[in-house]
Amino acid sequence: MSKCRPCVITLLTDFGYQDAYVGIIKGVITGINPVVKIIDICHNVSPQNILNGAYLLYTSYKYFPAGTIHVAIVDPGVGSKRDIVCVKTRNYLFVVPNNGILSFVVKEEKPEYIIRITNNKYFLPSISNTFHGRDIFAPVAAYLSLEIKLRQLGKKINQLELLDILAVKAKNNEQLEGNIIYVDRFGNLITNITKQHIKSLEINYKYLKILIGKKKIVGMSKNYADVNKGKPLALFGSTGFLEISISHGNAQKYFKVNKIIEEDKDLIFFCEK
Amino acid sequence: MSKCRPCVITLLTDFGYQDAYVGIIKGVITGINPVVKIIDICHNVSPQNILNGAYLLYTSYKYFPAGTIHVAIVDPGVGSKRDIVCVKTRNYLFVVPNNGILSFVVKEEKPEYIIRITNNKYFLPSISNTFHGRDIFAPVAAYLSLEIKLRQLGKKINQLELLDILAVKAKNNEQLEGNIIYVDRFGNLITNITKQHIKSLEINYKYLKILIGKKKIVGMSKNYADVNKGKPLALFGSTGFLEISISHGNAQKYFKVNKIIEEDKDLIFFCEK
Amino acid sequence: MSKCRPCVITLLTDFGYQDAYVGIIKGVITGINPVVKIIDICHNVSPQNILNGAYLLYTSYKYFPAGTIHVAIVDPGVGSKRDIVCVKTRNYLFVVPNNGILSFVVKEEKPEYIIRITNNKYFLPSISNTFHGRDIFAPVAAYLSLEIKLRQLGKKINQLELLDILAVKAKNNEQLEGNIIYVDRFGNLITNITKQHIKSLEINYKYLKILIGKKKIVGMSKNYADVNKGKPLALFGSTGFLEISISHGNAQKYFKVNKIIEEDKDLIFFCEK
């Protein structure tokens, strides 16, 4: 962590914007380190949906300056036996429940140390059973921004819990079977298919067939305005994944993808030669 | 207020996230004090619901560093005769409409001075009748963060308006009658019952009966994972009040508490031996 | 831009609060200028609704300190041929798509320079087709806050695209025909009628008749509490436009204005002698 720039702490949670939970966390952090910069990544992770949080963290963490402390709290196990960990990668520190929320991130940034956080010297004096964001995550992150040693937080462990994210299935170099892993505000459907996957099909983008339910899209687009208003299209989105969109419209509504994407999701689609 | 740390101004309003109102307030503050730190507590207070704002302020104000200036604007009387006041407690300053929004706070932190804010030297040059957040609250808070004297704002008054918050009714050391005072994003039902109230029943937590509508919960839980998925539970939440929750679920939906909690609310429930 | 105060960058977008888009933008800015102050104006502009964004920018930009860099991204043409421009006015810099989002602002603050932004030295190394907020707007704004010269961004152009905002129609000094241009969180209906327009009718405010659908309001109010609870009223709101409101209520629901206000809107109303 460079000393010449104010340290950054980011917050990603499922606490929403309806209650005071996020404000309280910022109060605790500011009380410990009044000059740290706190930046919200998002607080509308679908409640208790770890996959959702893992995806959002993956799309954003790398755009922050090296040394940033990322706090991500989607924590259905709060108050039970699950661990809270501090994970150091080459460029960042993560303070998270050990429940799979780093599943995407660790594909890009290997953990160098994983510490199970147990030292209550860095917690609030009184720990509730339901709001560890306030009582543990916030003060730990704030003390980390004051550059305490990681080892002061607890013992090193070797393994992180990871989500069993449904992998892309390939069939004879002819077909890929993928899943929707996220739906954004504009109704864009984000899949788990990357350019690498499509390359394996050895086909020119413009002949690629994408089947979603009973609808078919032929060819990849470059941008949302590439097809006529109201028409579906597929493109590689800003996160590097194949996305299904409607030009000037909403693919979630068009394809009736109304439900929250869950781990055991059934929104299978295909890319074919 | 310590001089060595940048002062903090918090904002709690019912302005929502759909309009530019909150951004405008931050612009005004920043124009007067460019180094003050502005932290959002919440802007989704149910429109014009003073009880809702009073509860959220109570759960959060104390987690901010001493010297913080809390600005809370839930102000159905804007532009009419209601007063705007600056309240100094041992640790904080509050800039609020005098309408009861400090009702919970003053149970913990006694007001040391109450000033009725009238000195338009600290207002914007032109005062609208509908947006005192921009024209009065924001500049007053910003000037306070520059450490002007409280007395410069106006005359001292002796009394704050307080909400007539429904008290817990006790019956023969056998039964408590309480109310839901807040529903959070996760659908947790927060009541006005505290540990002190339950202590008065002189009963082991595990035999306590909690009646809500026609449903009964027996015993208090320690955390949300203490009962099976989908089952109701009662615990003392992070704010110190008894909460009704569903493990990995939503108590608001389970108990069909769909309406906004109002002052004249009818969501009575009971704790019994 | 004064050097003694930390520069401010504001963000106004239609990115919402559900995804990580806004957080990512703040990460990019902070990586380039770690001390710049980033303030959200609003991120709930109705998706791809330029009029909506133009109105919100107009109501807020002037409340920020001189030298503020306003970034406004409502950009249905992202990735297509539309330009991104930097516009310098007397007091501010604007970084926006050239699609009419400055239509209201330029009525108050004349553009002194308009630069078409093309110098990819100030972009992220890799430019997606769908998220120029991250790849172009954010780094350009951050470099501007480091006080690079405008001319380094690209060539000067002479004209801004402007929205064809429906003007107020006057009839024989007897009647004004106006439109609803915005509905705020409280359900207040904001019109395109100003005090200047009403002056042209040469009538005492208290005799003015306002017709909206089949309902009639007589006289202008000073504030929301000026009429009985639940009754409609008209007043000049905090933005300077005539607003239709319900005392302690919601005019959007009362008048059944359920739809998003579009440019080709049909919510005509009249002010008459």
Side-chain angles (χ1 to χ4, degrees):
Chain A
M1 274 168 285
S2 160
K3 293 229 175 203
C4 63
R5 55 171 65 190
C7 188
V8 175
I9 293 176
T10 74
L11 301 177
L12 173 73
T13 77
D14 63 351
F15 295 159
Y17 295 91
Q18 176 187 327
D19 307 304
Y21 298 130
V22 174
I24 291 168
I25 284 177
K26 292 179 182 172
V28 171
I29 293 172
T30 304
I32 295 167
N33 183 352
V35 300
V36 72
K37 201 159 184 165
I38 305 170
I39 298 183
D40 299 300
I41 291 183
C42 181
H43 298 290
N44 266 339
V45 173
S46 177
Q48 310 183 344
N49 188 322
I50 299 165
L51 172 62
N52 196 174
Y55 171 79
L56 289 173
L57 185 58
Y58 169 74
T59 65
S60 47
Y61 81 96
K62 59 196 124 184
Y63 291 99
F64 286 84
T68 293
I69 299 163
H70 292 295
V71 179
I73 316 173
V74 183
D75 194 11
V78 60
S80 68
K81 289 284 175 215
R82 69 87 185 84
D83 290 335
I84 300 175
V85 290
C86 175
V87 178
K88 188 189 173 323
T89 66
R90 200 158 73 94
N91 294 304
Y92 301 104
L93 288 175
F94 295 87
V95 180
V96 293
N98 188 7
N99 64 9
I101 199 163
L102 290 180
S103 295
F104 285 109
V105 167
V106 296
K107 290 185 175 190
E108 277 188 349
E109 290 236 336
K110 289 281 159 272
E112 296 179 354
Y113 294 97
I114 310 167
I115 303 286
R116 193 159 77 88
I117 299 171
T118 53
N119 187 352
N120 63 15
K121 183 179 154 192
Y122 300 108
F123 300 173
L124 289 200
S126 159
I127 308 294
S128 71
N129 283 311
T130 55
F131 193 10
H132 287 183
R134 176 191 69 192
D135 305 332
I136 302 178
F137 290 87
V140 164
Y143 284 116
L144 282 169
S145 75
L146 295 174
E147 309 203 12
I148 60 161
K149 297 265 176 288
L150 289 197
R151 292 300 180 88
Q152 293 177 262
L153 292 173
K155 291 234 169 78
K156 206 181 148 187
I157 61 171
N158 293 314
Q159 284 263 307
L160 275 181
E161 295 290 325
L162 294 179
L163 290 179
D164 200 18
I165 298 170
L166 288 175
V168 174
K169 290 181 205 151
K171 199 170 147 188
N172 303 331
N173 261 22
E174 291 284 327
Q175 195 190 56
L176 298 168
E177 185 183 318
N179 292 90
I180 311 292
I181 55 171
Y182 189 73
V183 180
D184 77 6
R185 177 194 201 197
F186 300 95
N188 298 315
L189 309 176
I190 289 135
T191 76
N192 57 349
I193 305 266
T194 63
K195 276 189 191 173
Q196 293 310 109
H197 290 121
I198 300 290
K199 248 184 206 156
S200 73
L201 291 181
E202 292 174 357
I203 183 179
N204 186 311
Y205 281 173
K206 71 181 172 188
Y207 302 118
L208 185 73
K209 280 173 262 173
I210 294 134
L211 288 86
I212 169 163
K214 285 173 181 172
K215 310 260 179 175
K216 195 200 288 187
I217 299 168
V218 179
M220 297 287 294
S221 294
K222 286 259 170 78
N223 62 59
Y224 299 129
D226 231 18
V227 304
N228 287 334
K229 221 169 168 166
K231 292 288 173 201
L233 61 101
L235 48 66
F236 289 108
S238 62
T239 56
F241 293 112
L242 190 149
E243 285 181 32
I244 314 287
S245 302
I246 304 295
S247 178
H248 292 255
N250 185 308
Q252 183 179 23
K253 286 180 188 159
Y254 186 94
F255 291 107
K256 302 205 171 71
V257 181
N258 283 316
K259 54 183 107 167
I260 290 162
I261 307 301
E262 297 287 353
E263 284 178 65
D264 55 344
K265 61 213 162 309
D266 54 7
L267 292 153
I268 297 163
F269 78 107
F270 299 97
C271 294
E272 288 183 350
K273 276 199 188 180
Chain B
M1 279 168 281
S2 160
K3 293 229 176 205
C4 63
R5 54 172 64 191
C7 188
V8 175
I9 293 175
T10 74
L11 302 177
L12 173 73
T13 77
D14 63 352
F15 295 160
Y17 295 91
Q18 176 187 328
D19 306 304
Y21 299 128
V22 175
I24 292 168
I25 283 177
K26 291 179 183 174
V28 172
I29 292 172
T30 305
I32 294 167
N33 182 352
V35 301
V36 72
K37 202 159 185 167
I38 306 169
I39 298 182
D40 300 300
I41 290 183
C42 181
H43 298 289
N44 266 339
V45 172
S46 178
Q48 310 181 344
N49 187 323
I50 298 165
L51 172 64
N52 195 174
Y55 172 78
L56 289 173
L57 186 59
Y58 170 74
T59 65
S60 46
Y61 81 96
K62 59 195 123 183
Y63 291 99
F64 287 83
T68 294
I69 299 163
H70 293 295
V71 178
I73 316 172
V74 183
D75 193 11
V78 61
S80 69
K81 289 283 175 217
R82 71 84 186 84
D83 289 335
I84 300 175
V85 290
C86 176
V87 179
K88 189 187 173 327
T89 66
R90 198 158 71 96
N91 294 304
Y92 301 104
L93 288 175
F94 296 86
V95 180
V96 293
N98 189 7
N99 64 10
I101 199 162
L102 290 180
S103 296
F104 286 109
V105 167
V106 296
K107 290 186 175 190
E108 277 188 349
E109 290 236 335
K110 289 280 159 273
E112 296 179 353
Y113 294 98
I114 309 167
I115 303 286
R116 192 160 76 88
I117 299 172
T118 53
N119 186 350
N120 63 13
K121 182 179 155 193
Y122 300 107
F123 301 172
L124 288 199
S126 160
I127 308 294
S128 71
N129 282 313
T130 56
F131 193 10
H132 287 183
R134 177 191 69 192
D135 305 332
I136 302 179
F137 290 87
V140 163
Y143 284 115
L144 281 170
S145 74
L146 294 173
E147 309 204 11
I148 59 161
K149 298 263 177 291
L150 289 197
R151 291 299 180 89
Q152 293 178 263
L153 292 173
K155 291 234 169 78
K156 206 180 149 188
I157 61 171
N158 294 315
Q159 283 264 306
L160 276 181
E161 296 289 325
L162 295 178
L163 289 178
D164 202 15
I165 298 169
L166 288 176
V168 174
K169 289 181 206 152
K171 198 170 146 188
N172 303 333
N173 259 24
E174 290 285 326
Q175 195 190 56
L176 299 168
E177 185 184 317
N179 291 90
I180 311 291
I181 55 170
Y182 190 73
V183 180
D184 77 7
R185 176 193 202 199
F186 300 95
N188 298 314
L189 309 176
I190 290 135
T191 76
N192 57 349
I193 305 266
T194 63
K195 275 188 191 174
Q196 293 310 108
H197 290 122
I198 299 291
K199 246 183 208 158
S200 73
L201 291 181
E202 293 174 357
I203 182 178
N204 186 312
Y205 281 174
K206 70 182 173 189
Y207 301 118
L208 185 74
K209 279 174 265 174
I210 294 134
L211 287 88
I212 168 164
K214 284 172 180 174
K215 309 260 179 175
K216 194 200 288 186
I217 299 167
V218 179
M220 297 288 293
S221 294
K222 286 259 167 78
N223 62 60
Y224 299 130
D226 230 18
V227 302
N228 287 335
K229 222 169 167 162
K231 293 286 174 203
L233 60 100
L235 48 65
F236 288 107
S238 61
T239 55
F241 292 112
L242 189 150
E243 285 180 34
I244 314 288
S245 304
I246 303 295
S247 179
H248 293 254
N250 186 307
Q252 184 179 24
K253 286 180 188 160
Y254 186 94
F255 290 106
K256 301 206 173 71
V257 181
N258 282 314
K259 53 184 108 166
I260 292 163
I261 308 301
E262 298 286 353
E263 284 179 65
D264 55 343
K265 61 213 164 307
D266 53 8
L267 292 153
I268 296 163
F269 77 108
F270 299 95
C271 295
E272 289 183 351
K273 277 199 187 180
Chain C
M1 275 167 285
S2 160
K3 294 227 175 207
C4 64
R5 54 171 65 190
C7 186
V8 175
I9 292 176
T10 74
L11 302 177
L12 173 73
T13 76
D14 63 352
F15 295 159
Y17 295 91
Q18 175 186 329
D19 306 304
Y21 299 130
V22 175
I24 292 168
I25 284 176
K26 292 179 182 172
V28 171
I29 292 172
T30 305
I32 295 167
N33 183 353
V35 301
V36 72
K37 201 158 186 169
I38 306 170
I39 298 183
D40 300 300
I41 290 183
C42 181
H43 299 289
N44 266 340
V45 172
S46 178
Q48 311 183 343
N49 188 323
I50 299 164
L51 173 62
N52 196 174
Y55 171 79
L56 289 173
L57 185 59
Y58 169 74
T59 64
S60 47
Y61 82 96
K62 61 196 120 180
Y63 291 100
F64 287 84
T68 293
I69 299 164
H70 292 295
V71 179
I73 316 173
V74 183
D75 193 10
V78 61
S80 68
K81 289 284 175 218
R82 70 85 185 84
D83 290 335
I84 301 175
V85 290
C86 176
V87 178
K88 188 186 172 328
T89 66
R90 198 159 73 96
N91 294 306
Y92 301 105
L93 288 176
F94 296 86
V95 181
V96 293
N98 188 6
N99 64 9
I101 198 162
L102 291 180
S103 296
F104 285 109
V105 167
V106 296
K107 290 186 176 190
E108 277 188 349
E109 290 236 335
K110 288 281 160 271
E112 296 179 354
Y113 294 98
I114 310 167
I115 304 286
R116 192 161 76 89
I117 298 172
T118 53
N119 188 352
N120 63 13
K121 183 179 154 192
Y122 301 108
F123 301 172
L124 288 199
S126 159
I127 308 293
S128 71
N129 283 311
T130 55
F131 193 8
H132 287 183
R134 176 191 69 193
D135 305 332
I136 302 179
F137 290 87
V140 163
Y143 285 115
L144 281 169
S145 74
L146 295 172
E147 308 204 13
I148 60 161
K149 297 266 176 289
L150 289 197
R151 292 299 179 91
Q152 293 177 262
L153 292 174
K155 292 233 167 79
K156 206 181 148 187
I157 61 172
N158 294 314
Q159 283 264 307
L160 275 180
E161 296 289 325
L162 295 179
L163 290 178
D164 201 18
I165 299 170
L166 288 175
V168 174
K169 290 181 206 150
K171 200 171 145 187
N172 303 333
N173 260 22
E174 291 285 327
Q175 193 190 58
L176 299 168
E177 184 184 317
N179 292 90
I180 312 291
I181 54 171
Y182 190 73
V183 180
D184 77 7
R185 176 194 203 199
F186 300 95
N188 298 315
L189 308 176
I190 290 135
T191 76
N192 57 349
I193 305 266
T194 63
K195 276 189 190 173
Q196 293 310 109
H197 291 122
I198 300 291
K199 247 183 208 159
S200 73
L201 291 182
E202 294 174 356
I203 182 179
N204 187 313
Y205 282 173
K206 70 182 173 188
Y207 302 118
L208 185 73
K209 280 173 262 172
I210 294 135
L211 288 87
I212 169 164
K214 285 175 180 171
K215 310 261 179 173
K216 196 200 288 186
I217 299 167
V218 179
M220 298 287 294
S221 295
K222 286 259 168 78
N223 63 59
Y224 299 130
D226 229 19
V227 303
N228 287 336
K229 221 169 171 166
K231 292 288 174 203
L233 61 101
L235 49 65
F236 289 107
S238 61
T239 57
F241 292 112
L242 189 151
E243 286 180 32
I244 314 288
S245 303
I246 303 296
S247 179
H248 293 256
N250 185 309
Q252 184 180 23
K253 286 180 188 160
Y254 186 93
F255 291 106
K256 301 205 172 70
V257 181
N258 281 315
K259 54 184 106 165
I260 291 161
I261 307 301
E262 299 286 354
E263 284 177 65
D264 54 346
K265 60 215 165 309
D266 52 11
L267 292 153
I268 297 163
F269 77 107
F270 299 95
C271 295
E272 288 183 350
K273 276 200 186 177

